[in-house]
Amino acid sequence: MINKILVANRGEIAIRVFKTAKKMGIKTVAVYSTADRHSPHVQMADEAVLIGEAPSSESYLKYDTIIEVAKKLKVDAIHPGYGFLSENALFSQKVADEGIIFIGPKPHAIKTMGDKLAAKEAVKNYNIPMVPGVEEPITDVPKAIEIAKKIGFPILIKAAAGGGGKGMRIVEKESEFINQMERAISEAVSAFGNGEVFIEKYIESPRHIEIQIIADAHGNVVHLFERECSIQRRHQKVVEEAPSSVLTEEIRNKMGEAAINVAKSCDYLGAGTVEFLIDKKMNFYFLEMNTRLQVEHPVTEWITGLDLVEQQIKIAQGEKLSFTQKDMKIKGHAIELRVYAEDSLNDFMPSIGKLTTYQPPVGENIRVDDGFKEGMEIPIYYDPMLSKLITYGKTRKEAIVKMIEAIDNYHVEGIETTLPFGKYVCQHKSFVSGKFDTHFVQDYYTPEVLEKYYKNEASVAAKMALQLYLEEKLEVKLPKVETNAAVKTLFDR
Ligand code: ADP
């Protein structure tokens, strides 16, 4: 039994885990750096221990120190959150060696799936569709160019150890190959300390759709449907939703089955995500597996009614899944906006400073997962995500309208955020119609467009609200809950 959990992380995800732990009657331990002395995650835990200076290499990445704290405070389990040590096989091994439960998969699964080439190798025998490409790192350049020609340009050079959209280079034609490869290698070395790169076909106009899976220690694996994560900047997600507006039941089932097989290929344990790209013809290809709780897990929680952290904890203490695939049903629609401290008008550059005003929205069908309070500084040392804003509706459109309402009621001053960008997305006809891909930002977004849009925003919002209102009127038999309030807010503007 797990009676005490240490969260080897900070900010919103530490708080997220503490909330569930408290609900389950489990004691909580926070660790923190000097930059986070006054952070809400420190205040929320039953016990909190300072582990080092602000740079993560001197605090949140110091696994020996964290394990020492866990031993000293007689912690039963460590939850790694996402980022930092969450996908570090050595850390999970060291935790286990000390007789402490690591809330996540076994080191072998982390290691296999942490390397994109090893992951492709592992799933090879499971009949999973893969992006055409090479199966080992490029060492012989002329041979690699021959392969690239066979696959057909454009191709993508990717880092085997890649993550966070880094170390990825598109090569449009043969003459650019060597130059782009050198850049990809140098980026991979500086970001991951591993310069191995490989080639993949560049899928034109793909959608990024991932499947949440959950596996217990008794051989049961269930998928919890998909999340659409195609709205990205710099190959990193900004808006996610569940379900996707394009999947048919048939493709959803096929992708779900493929994801379960990926999990089986590495003997997976706990909550994990299998990422796919989907091309214009609705062919899907395995991209990679993330062996942790994802940032965007709340949208899945909302449409399934499950608390994924609770599931992680139960699985970690050896419990069987209390549901089967057949029990799982999609209910409603959820959207998440990552509220980054970034300037959408200036190429999404980090916007660090003091939160002179910070008032998140509250209300039914609105969830804010955050780790900041008014008056706090956003530290430069860590990921600039301020919060996650999640909204829910019976339908996709309701969730979108709710998101717009929530953004309008989210007051942040002192720094720039992705809130205006999120609102732009939610009112863009391509997003609203569901016809978009990972090039949304490239295709539709420039700072000038955003500025112009804000001048016209009232009329756009009113038009959209009117459309929804009329559609709702046609659906008189459906129970009316939140939507009318949302529509009213938009009309009142
Ligand atoms: P990372 O591990 O760095 O996040 P991923 O392999 O998960 O990298 O890819 C991140 C994003 O990069 C995808 O969501 C997609 O937008 C783009 N991408 C990756 N591979 C391809 C590909 N073969 N073709 C087109 N886009 C790709």
Side-chain angles (χ1 to χ4, degrees):
M1 273 299 275
I2 296 175
N3 294 310
K4 201 184 215 185
I5 287 181
L6 179 150
V7 178
N9 215 301
R10 63 183 295 280
E12 73 87 16
I13 194 61
I15 292 174
R16 165 71 195 89
V17 176
F18 291 155
K19 276 187 184 156
T20 293
K22 282 181 190 268
K23 186 178 86 180
M24 295 171 78
I26 297 170
K27 292 256 170 299
T28 54
V29 178
V31 290
Y32 64 98
S33 73
T34 48
D36 283 337
R37 272 180 206 284
H38 306 294
S39 293
H41 90 268
V42 176
Q43 286 152 17
M44 189 179 173
D46 297 314
E47 291 168 275
V49 180
L50 177 69
I51 50 166
E53 296 302 316
S56 40
S57 58
E58 291 173 40
S59 48
Y60 297 106
L61 290 175
K62 275 173 68 182
Y63 44 75
D64 287 331
T65 309
I66 294 173
I67 293 171
E68 273 315 302
V69 170
K71 276 163 61 183
K72 211 161 140 204
L73 297 185
K74 301 202 164 34
V75 157
D76 302 306
I78 295 182
H79 193 300
Y82 53 74
F84 295 129
L85 296 168
S86 61
E87 288 172 291
N88 185 318
L90 184 62
F91 176 60
S92 72
Q93 184 63 60
K94 286 193 168 214
V95 170
D97 290 347
E98 294 296 340
I100 300 170
I101 298 171
F102 178 79
I103 303 179
K106 298 287 171 225
H108 163 74
I110 300 179
K111 208 166 163 192
T112 307
M113 292 299 157
D115 182 307
K116 293 185 202 289
L117 285 170
K120 284 179 197 258
E121 179 66 31
V123 306
K124 227 170 155 184
N125 299 329
Y126 287 80
N127 206 12
I128 314 274
M130 307 238 236
V131 184
V134 296
E135 289 168 9
E136 62 271 337
I138 308 174
T139 44
D140 183 338
V141 175
K143 200 172 135 200
I145 293 178
E146 278 318 302
I147 294 171
K149 280 204 282 195
K150 240 189 245 158
I151 294 171
F153 288 96
I155 56 109
L156 199 59
I157 300 181
K158 284 173 107 169
K166 291 195 198 91
M168 229 184 281
R169 290 268 152 193
I170 301 169
V171 187
E172 303 281 353
K173 48 183 189 289
E174 190 181 335
S175 59
E176 293 169 2
F177 192 93
I178 294 182
N179 182 11
Q180 294 292 29
M181 188 178 111
E182 279 165 3
R183 285 181 186 215
I185 292 175
S186 96
E187 237 173 87
V189 169
S190 69
F192 316 110
N194 172 357
E196 272 184 10
V197 295
F198 65 100
I199 304 174
E200 230 172 55
K201 174 151 188 64
Y202 182 70
I203 308 286
E204 310 236 13
S205 312
R207 294 176 79 116
H208 174 121
I209 297 184
E210 58 189 32
I211 304 280
Q212 175 73 55
I213 62 100
I214 189 126
D216 67 16
H218 306 272
N220 304 302
V221 192
V222 170
H223 76 81
L224 304 176
F225 313 111
E226 76 278 9
R227 290 185 290 259
E228 162 92 55
C229 311
S230 298
I231 306 287
Q232 309 178 340
R233 48 106 188 73
R234 295 191 284 267
H235 300 303
Q236 282 181 294
K237 306 156 186 171
V238 201
V239 177
E240 299 104 338
E241 61 179 310
S244 159
S245 53
V246 286
L247 286 201
T248 59
E249 206 46 37
E250 190 194 345
I251 301 176
R252 175 173 293 125
N253 290 340
K254 276 194 185 148
M255 289 177 78
E257 215 172 285
I260 288 174
N261 280 330
V262 171
K264 286 185 175 161
S265 80
C266 63
D267 216 356
Y268 201 78
L269 182 71
T273 296
V274 182
E275 298 189 332
F276 296 96
L277 287 182
I278 294 211
D279 68 16
K280 278 187 183 147
K281 293 181 182 147
M282 298 300 287
N283 299 307
F284 64 88
Y285 307 96
F286 171 63
L287 200 54
E288 64 165 348
M289 179 170 196
N290 290 318
T291 55
R292 53 159 200 268
L293 188 68
Q294 298 271 90
V295 173
E296 58 273 24
H297 75 274
V299 292
T300 301
E301 295 190 315
W302 226 326
I303 64 153
T304 58
L306 289 173
D307 175 335
L308 288 184
V309 175
E310 183 181 343
Q311 293 301 323
Q312 286 188 300
I313 295 172
K314 285 183 169 170
I315 288 167
Q317 59 188 16
E319 289 182 39
K320 269 191 187 162
L321 289 179
S322 61
F323 48 83
T324 64
Q325 194 64 57
K326 278 204 194 99
D327 300 325
M328 286 295 113
K329 298 267 172 318
I330 298 178
K331 192 162 175 276
H333 200 100
I335 302 180
E336 172 180 283
L337 167 65
R338 297 191 189 191
V339 184
Y340 282 108
E342 284 180 359
D343 187 355
S344 340
L345 294 179
N346 186 13
D347 205 18
F348 297 93
M349 294 301 277
S351 172
I352 303 301
K354 190 172 175 172
L355 282 171
T356 50
T357 302
Y358 183 73
Q359 291 157 12
V362 280
E364 205 182 339
N365 293 340
I366 297 173
R367 166 173 166 182
V368 181
D369 282 15
D370 59 6
F372 288 97
K373 291 256 176 312
E374 193 164 281
M376 281 177 65
E377 294 274 342
I378 311 282
I380 51 164
Y381 304 97
Y382 316 115
D383 182 73
M385 197 175 76
L386 195 60
S387 76
K388 302 180 318 204
L389 173 60
I390 312 109
T391 59
Y392 178 80
K394 307 197 280 294
T395 62
R396 182 169 188 268
K397 211 155 204 183
E398 265 188 38
I400 293 176
V401 169
K402 197 74 189 164
M403 177 59 81
I404 295 166
E405 180 199 324
I407 292 172
D408 282 343
N409 292 320
Y410 206 140
H411 303 294
V412 183
E413 276 166 33
I415 55 155
E416 299 300 328
T417 72
T418 45
L419 283 165
F421 172 73
K423 188 163 168 184
Y424 172 77
V425 171
C426 285
Q427 294 185 339
H428 195 281
K429 67 174 188 319
S430 155
F431 182 74
V432 173
S433 67
K435 291 191 191 84
F436 58 94
D437 55 47
T438 57
H439 302 305
F440 180 91
V441 168
Q442 216 162 303
D443 291 347
Y444 303 117
Y445 180 72
T446 60
E448 294 74 42
V449 168
L450 188 66
E451 267 168 17
K452 203 165 128 206
Y453 155 80
Y454 263 87
K455 287 196 189 120
N456 297 326
E457 121 171 84
S459 69
V460 176
K463 235 190 259 170
M464 197 172 153
L466 177 64
Q467 195 193 347
L468 179 69
Y469 179 73
L470 293 174
E471 281 177 16
E472 285 274 311
K473 278 200 142 181
L474 296 175
E475 296 173 17
V476 275
K477 283 190 206 94
L478 288 173
K480 285 223 170 74
V481 268
E482 277 301 294
T483 318
N484 284 341
V487 169
K488 190 170 176 306
T489 315
L490 285 166
F491 271 117
D492 283 346
R493 215 176 260 279

